[in-house]
Amino acid sequence: MNEKMVKAMNKQLNFELESAHVYLAMQNYFAAMSLTGFEHWFNVQYKEEVEHAEKFMEYLNDRGERVEVTGFPSPKNEFSSVLEVLETSLNHEKEVTRRIHALMDLAIELKDYPSMSLLQWYVDEQVEEEANFSMLIDKVKMMDGKGLYMLDRELGKREE
Ligand code: OFO
């Protein structure tokens, strides 16, 4: 593989792990608020981000390249409201989308067809990631205290 792509993919792999920690911190914010449905939903999100990192990891290993695990800044742990958590999440996902698209641009430039194929999965996944948070933001904006309780119960059922 082209060195530039290996470096860029390693960077994204580590950003996926950073994303996992962003959602792990949010999960525990909800745990502290006793919003157990949100806590569960963000735990599923956390695990999904680890899977996103692992998908890059497996791909780089399959292609005989070296995976490099790095550190990253601490995530935000305190929030003022449920809405702030969700808006922070949506902005985070928009940044992920921007980075995935930049990776796709690079794959196209390098005519790296296997990487294009892998990255298409992430392009599609990001549509879902942004839609999930946009939908939750719309719901929470419409809601009173009782509605939030009902939504918390619904989120407790998330499987993937
Ligand atoms: Fe890995 O998509 Fe969210 O961050």
Side-chain angles (χ1 to χ4, degrees):
M1 276 174 78
N2 182 292
E3 258 320 293
K4 242 171 131 180
M5 179 56 85
V6 174
K7 221 173 142 194
M9 232 176 234
N10 261 305
K11 197 168 170 202
Q12 184 61 29
L13 182 163
N14 283 286
F15 196 63
E16 298 291 345
L17 291 173
E18 184 174 338
S19 301
H21 278 226
V22 164
Y23 295 124
L24 188 62
M26 291 171 174
Q27 175 194 327
N28 284 285
Y29 167 77
F30 288 123
M33 286 179 83
S34 299
L35 281 169
T36 51
F38 278 91
E39 178 190 353
H40 168 77
W41 198 93
F42 275 80
N43 175 260
V44 175
Q45 186 66 28
Y46 156 72
K47 287 177 182 156
E48 244 191 52
E49 298 302 345
V50 173
E51 282 172 19
H52 293 173
E54 285 175 348
K55 207 170 167 70
F56 278 121
M57 219 177 282
E58 276 167 30
Y59 176 76
L60 286 167
N61 283 323
D62 282 351
R63 294 201 66 189
E65 301 295 348
R66 193 72 176 90
V67 167
E68 205 178 319
V69 177
T70 65
F72 38 78
S74 295
K76 186 171 161 62
N77 278 274
E78 298 306 333
F79 301 88
S80 57
S81 64
V82 171
L83 199 55
E84 192 198 352
V85 176
L86 297 174
E87 280 169 347
T88 304
S89 302
L90 179 60
N91 286 335
H92 183 81
E93 288 307 327
K94 285 183 177 170
E95 174 59 22
V96 176
T97 301
R98 194 191 62 73
R99 292 180 186 219
I100 295 289
H101 290 182
L103 270 171
M104 182 62 109
D105 286 342
L106 181 62
I108 291 167
E109 185 192 316
L110 296 170
K111 292 189 166 55
D112 181 346
Y113 300 110
S115 296
M116 275 186 231
S117 174
L118 175 84
L119 288 164
Q120 186 58 50
W121 183 89
Y122 287 91
V123 169
D124 297 340
E125 175 72 5
Q126 281 311 116
V127 173
E128 196 193 308
E129 293 275 81
E130 288 191 28
N132 279 345
F133 286 113
S134 291
M135 181 204 64
L136 283 178
I137 287 169
D138 288 346
K139 283 191 175 178
V140 167
K141 276 184 178 166
M142 281 188 280
M143 205 162 259
D144 55 10
K146 190 172 168 219
L148 191 64
Y149 173 75
M150 298 302 287
L151 179 61
D152 188 56
R153 284 184 52 166
E154 182 190 322
L155 296 184
K157 295 179 190 137
R158 181 180 181 185
E159 284 174 9
E160 58 179 59

